[in-house]
């Protein structure tokens, strides 16, 4: 076709309409998070002595540097903000870009919509360009909004723009990486896995480079570039040129690869399976295992590694907090204990619970993806019952979240136990704390199931429910939200273990609510049409 981009404008409008719920959620959450955190710095470290102590402690702590990156200047609110959030912002916006590009390219081909669109007046590069425009545009919008909101909080103007542009740059780089991954992979899930693996490697390179003498490794990572711009610490604007150059080069590779593959196929073909399935694979549960195993494995590794990292820095948490009474109060609210290390461990179990709920919602909404992909209906036309099919998927949503929480608890307990010479006792305490989070996690999963059964078109609203709970859990104590708002999140009602007194009552009624939501969803699904 002589006009390879024809139809791009219409596809962009189509993509924005399809993402009218999930994309605004990403934009709002990522945009407001830095500004809300900036306001807490003055409360946490009100005196110069406390700020000097924080700088001295962080500059010599490789474990903290591995997690957050180098602390260039902690004497200002902006410098603290850049150190504390920049790396995580880059990871989150990278995930947003990867999922967005894949959803509007390879996923469209998987479902057959891409072929239908391709039969109209649509250019060869139009679909990829639309995905890139939506993901890249959202990244730039998030960066600009972050800068403007930070300016409203009173931080330095150059630093605010450096922060926003750095985050936007990370989004652009991973948009380009996703554009390459969707050419290589045969299915959208594989493309997401490839691009997410690149994101994980980038985070690892940044962490190893910043916490060792091999600092050059940080310069191989797009996440490292965002921090090396040094927002609020003598900005190095030229690094933005490196970000843009990488975006253009990697994106050009994606466009060059596109004409070299067949439609609905990747350059790296998947290995064909046997003609007939083994006896052990001829069941709904076996099929669900095949669909969920890659995701479950990835989340399990991430929780185990994160647990070890968090456990390794638990002993140094008093260095981070220093003499700040406000910081001690916030950790006490998050952890429910006067002992700082126990409060930190309890806060980490809460954070792991909130993140485990992300996997739970993802596993639950897999049923909706199978339904709209027209794969559920042929299956349910056989002897497979609806309850059997939903149960085979939900077992991963419920037991999978239990598995990752166990791995996180063991990881934290093992790493911290080795430092304090009490591995057995520490693992037991932390594991109890992580398992206590499960009723709250399962309530979120139950709500997602209820949405799937009752209002399938609005299943994606489960992400909104989760986002509200996670935001309240992670940032509510820092901004000192009223207790009435804190109570909205199910994680607020979980006993803050280890350290606090164990109480079974909230766990019982959280489990009961989860069972109620689950029952409502399953009952509704049995009675509604599929498709």
């Amino acid at each position: 076709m002589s006009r390879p981009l024809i139809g791009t404008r219409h596809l962009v409008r189509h993509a924005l309409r399809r993402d009218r719920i999930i994309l605004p959620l990403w934009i709002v959450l990522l945009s407001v998070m830095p500004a809300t955190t900036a306001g807490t710095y003055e409360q946490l470290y009100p005196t110069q002595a406390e700020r000097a102590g924080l700088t001295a402690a962080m500059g010599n702590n490789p474990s903290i540097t591995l997690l957050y990156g180098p602390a260039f200047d902690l004497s200002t609110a902006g410098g603290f903000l850049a150190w504390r959030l920049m790396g995580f912002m880059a990871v989150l916006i990278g995930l947003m870009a990867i999922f967005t590009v894949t959803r509007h390219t390879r996923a469209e081909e998987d479902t057959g919509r891409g072929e239908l669109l391709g039969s109209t007046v649509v250019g060869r590069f139009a679909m990829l360009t639309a995905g890139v425009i939506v993901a890249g545009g959202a990244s730039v919008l998030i960066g600009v909004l972050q800068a403007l909101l930070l300016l409203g909080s009173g931080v330095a103007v150059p630093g605010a723009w450096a922060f926003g542009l750095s985050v936007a740059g990370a989004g652009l780089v991973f948009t380009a990486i996703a554009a390459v991954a969707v050419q290589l992979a045969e299915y959208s899930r594989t493309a997401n896995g490839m691009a997410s693996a690149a994101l994980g490697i980038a985070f690892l390179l940044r962490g190893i480079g910043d916490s060792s003498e091999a600092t050059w490794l940080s310069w191989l990572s797009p996440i490292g570039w965002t921090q090396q711009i040094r927002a609020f610490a003598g900005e190095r604007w030229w690094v933005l040129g490196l970000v843009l150059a990488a975006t253009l080069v990697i994106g050009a590779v994606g466009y060059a690869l596109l004409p070299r593959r067949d439609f609905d196929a990747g350059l790296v073909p998947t290995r064909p399976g046997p003609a007939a399935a083994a006896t052990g694979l001829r069941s709904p549960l076996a099929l669900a295992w095949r669909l969920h195993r890659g995701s479950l494995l990835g989340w399990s590794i991430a929780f185990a590694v994160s647990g070890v990292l968090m456990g390794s820095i638990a002993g140094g948490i008093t260095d981070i907090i220093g003499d700040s009474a406000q910081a001690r109060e916030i950790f006490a609210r998050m952890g429910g204990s006067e002992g700082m290390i126990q409060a930190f461990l309890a806060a980490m179990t809460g954070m792991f619970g909130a993140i485990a709920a992300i996997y739970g919602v993802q596993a639950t909404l897999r049923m909706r993806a199978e339904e709209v992909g027209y794969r559920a209906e042929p299956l349910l036309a056989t002897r497979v019952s609806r309850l059997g099919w939903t149960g085979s998927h939900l077992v991963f949503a419920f037991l999978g979240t239990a598995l990752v929480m166990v791995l996180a608890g063991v990881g934290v307990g093992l790493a911290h136990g080795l430092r304090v010479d009490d591995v057995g006792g520490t693992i037991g305490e932390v594991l109890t704390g992580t398992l206590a989070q499960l009723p709250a996690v399962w309530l979120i999963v139950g709500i997602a199931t209820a949405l799937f059964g009752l209002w399938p078109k609005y299943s994606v609203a489960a992400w909104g429910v989760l986002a509200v709970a996670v935001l309240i859990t992670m940032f509510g104590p820092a901004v000192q939200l009223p207790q009435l708002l804190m109570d909205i999140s199910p994680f607020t009602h979980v006993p803050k273990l280890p350290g606090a007194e164990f109480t079974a009552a909230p766990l019982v009624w959280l489990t009961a609510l989860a069972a109620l939501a689950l029952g409502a969803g399953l009952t509704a699904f049995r009675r509604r049409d599929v498709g």
Side-chain angles (χ1 to χ4, degrees), residues 8 44 58 81 132 158 164 171 178 226 233 269 314 322 371 402 411 450 466 492 496 499-500 511 517 526 530:
T8 301
L44 292 173
M58 292 305 97
L81 178 73
V132 168
T226 63
E371 184 181 4
L466 173 63
T492 303
K496 305 298 187 289
T511 305
R526 291 186 64 187
V530 175

Side-chain angles (χ1 to χ4, degrees), residues 52 155 160 265 342 371 473:
V155 299
Q342 284 195 325
E371 184 181 4
T473 303

